[in-house]
Amino acid sequence: MSERITVSLGARSYDIHVGTSVFSRAGELLSPFARGPVPVITDANVAGLHLDPFVESLKCAGIDARPIVLDAGEGTKSFRWLERLCSALLTVGVDRGGLVVALGGGVIGDLTGFAAAVLKRGIDFAQVPTTLLAQVDSSVGGKTAINTAEGKNLVGVFHQPKIVLADAGVLSTLPRRELLAGYAEVAKYGALGDAAFFEWLETNGAKALGGDEAALVRAVAHSCRMKADIVARDEHESGERALLNLGHTFGHALEAATGFSDRLLHGEGVAVGMALAFQLSVKLGLCGSQDADRFTRHLKAVGLPASIADVPGPRPSVDLLFEHMAHDKKAKDGQLTFILLRGIGQAFVTRDIPNEAVRDVLAA
Ligand code: NAD
Ligand code: GLY
């Protein structure tokens, strides 16, 4: 069971393969892009679970795979690890016509993509996402970045992969909490632009999360299709692509206020952020409360947090959250950018929001 989705970007177009047998076909699918030694960058957790069969598949196709195992965790998206990775890639001897493979979650994908973009002024890379979040979001669309002391994803470039291989089977080893965090991004696609998909998720989302591979593949494929279409129309986020940031302005503020710690995973922050975006939309008279309630109900039903009160630990103050929102990299000329909703499936980008309304939603 597998599906191929194309991200149409002219000469830089590429395919996303989504399914259950994608991993075993990795060698065959990557071999058209492989020349010379092929570094496979992964983290220690993924290495212990999935590296051997993956490398085996590459070797069977005659690819000279060279694993590079990095520490797991957000801290790896840093200048320190970028330097180490570039050094390891140069030691392996990858050249400008070569290929680098990112096998892991969004951390490995973002770091590897950035390293591939800057090494020797740009080499090809493949995304092999192993978290739900990476399969439906970070591996598609070419955003690469590392974090700095000043904030998340502040140093990066657009560098599209040559191919994306998303195997739903690898998600069976993902901790439940990480799976749910990724599901927030799946629900995001329904909320931002596809009411019928959201309705399908209401019936099938729990099944997909409970191990029904057919439902999971369908959810991942539909999410990738939506993202591929948006990226094809607006690769560099001059317009429509910003819709993918639904829930992120609130979510990033919550992540920052909780110290980017284990208290709140990125996807959990996005879940709460989307619920707050719905509430703000209701408050401004843009959206009916039934849609906001329905969306929040679904998040809760699958086990995701849907309000600031659901975030464990002391509640961050409105002032602190507001301050973090003001530093959001999507703020322009001091004005915050929000993705708001006229209903489920009807998101839009706006900058004209009174601060008082935002503060009221943060205080509720
Ligand atoms: P992650 O890469 O840290 O993975 C989460 C955890 O799951 C890690 O501990 C990892 O080792 C483990 N793991 C990965 N695959 C596994 C598997 N199959 N089985 C068991 N454990 C596994 O985090 P993530 O949630 O995948 O990605 C978050 C990152 O993605 C953030 O840095 C965020 O900024 C970035 N991101 C980027 C984009 C983009 O467009 N580039 C979009 C969204 C998020
Ligand atoms: N994750 C948002 C984007 O790729 O634009």
Side-chain angles (χ1 to χ4, degrees):
M1 182 181 21
S2 101
E3 216 180 301
R4 192 173 62 171
I5 297 149
T6 301
V7 185
S8 300
L9 291 168
R12 287 171 299 106
S13 297
Y14 56 96
D15 289 336
I16 308 164
H17 296 261
V18 182
T20 49
S21 52
V22 178
F23 231 61
S24 57
R25 291 173 52 222
E28 167 207 332
L29 292 166
L30 291 176
S31 57
F33 307 102
R35 272 169 300 276
V38 173
V40 176
I41 295 91
T42 194
D43 73 27
N45 295 339
V46 178
L49 296 161
H50 301 293
L51 183 61
D52 287 351
F54 183 76
V55 166
E56 199 45 46
S57 167
L58 268 56
K59 290 204 162 143
C60 283
I63 297 174
D64 178 12
R66 307 284 188 91
I68 297 174
V69 181
L70 311 180
D71 281 2
E74 190 68 34
T76 302
K77 264 176 63 171
S78 62
F79 271 115
R80 193 162 70 94
W81 282 94
L82 176 70
E83 187 180 2
R84 285 191 192 178
L85 176 56
C86 286
S87 190
L89 293 173
L90 292 168
T91 305
V92 164
V94 64
D95 65 28
R96 279 198 77 180
L99 178 78
V100 171
V101 178
L103 171 71
V107 164
I108 290 298
D110 279 14
L111 174 72
T112 302
F114 188 47
V118 294
L119 198 83
K120 301 193 172 177
R121 299 201 180 87
I123 51 181
D124 289 345
F125 84 115
Q127 288 272 21
V128 186
T130 62
T131 64
L132 182 55
L133 181 136
Q135 293 196 352
V136 300
D137 192 0
S138 63
S139 66
V140 176
K143 280 189 182 175
T144 76
I146 55 171
N147 308 323
T148 70
E150 289 74 19
K152 271 191 70 173
N153 297 326
L154 293 179
V155 176
V157 292
F158 285 96
H159 185 50
Q160 300 291 346
K162 284 305 213 192
I163 186 167
V164 180
L165 307 182
D167 192 319
V170 296
L171 302 180
S172 65
T173 58
L174 199 60
R176 173 86 185 167
R177 190 175 169 203
E178 295 285 355
L179 191 68
L180 274 174
Y183 184 82
E185 304 279 3
V186 175
K188 180 185 80 178
Y189 290 102
L192 74 86
D194 193 336
F197 180 52
F198 185 74
E199 198 176 329
W200 183 85
L201 289 174
E202 286 178 307
T203 310
N204 298 284
K207 265 193 255 172
L209 290 166
D212 180 331
E213 279 199 335
L216 192 54
V217 168
R218 191 161 163 194
V220 172
H222 193 88
S223 303
C224 287
R225 217 175 290 115
M226 284 186 72
K227 181 152 184 183
D229 289 349
I230 291 171
V231 168
R233 288 192 293 264
D234 179 23
E235 183 181 8
H236 294 125
E237 201 172 305
S238 40
E240 186 191 2
R241 184 165 179 170
L243 295 178
L244 296 170
N245 297 324
L246 173 62
H248 284 60
T249 301
F250 285 116
H252 274 160
L254 283 161
E255 279 184 275
T258 49
F260 294 102
S261 68
D262 202 35
R263 269 177 73 192
L264 191 72
L265 300 179
H266 172 74
E268 294 169 338
V270 170
V272 177
M274 289 190 290
L276 295 178
F278 264 108
Q279 279 171 30
L280 183 56
S281 307
V282 172
K283 187 165 191 58
L284 296 169
L286 298 162
C287 171
S289 60
Q290 303 93 314
D291 274 20
D293 292 345
R294 185 177 156 200
F295 185 75
T296 303
R297 223 173 16 252
H298 181 59
L299 295 182
K300 284 183 192 277
V302 295
L304 275 165
S307 69
I308 299 178
D310 291 338
V311 179
R315 186 179 174 120
S317 72
V318 171
D319 283 344
L320 180 65
L321 290 171
F322 204 78
E323 197 181 309
H324 283 303
M325 288 173 90
H327 288 127
D328 194 285
K329 70 177 181 306
K330 296 180 290 303
K332 266 194 196 151
D333 306 326
Q335 277 214 301
L336 291 174
T337 304
F338 283 98
I339 317 303
L340 296 183
L341 302 114
R342 294 197 173 85
I344 288 173
Q346 300 170 62
F348 64 100
V349 185
T350 179
R351 293 214 162 77
D352 248 352
I353 302 301
N355 288 353
E356 269 325 296
V358 178
R359 296 182 78 93
D360 285 352
V361 164
L362 291 173

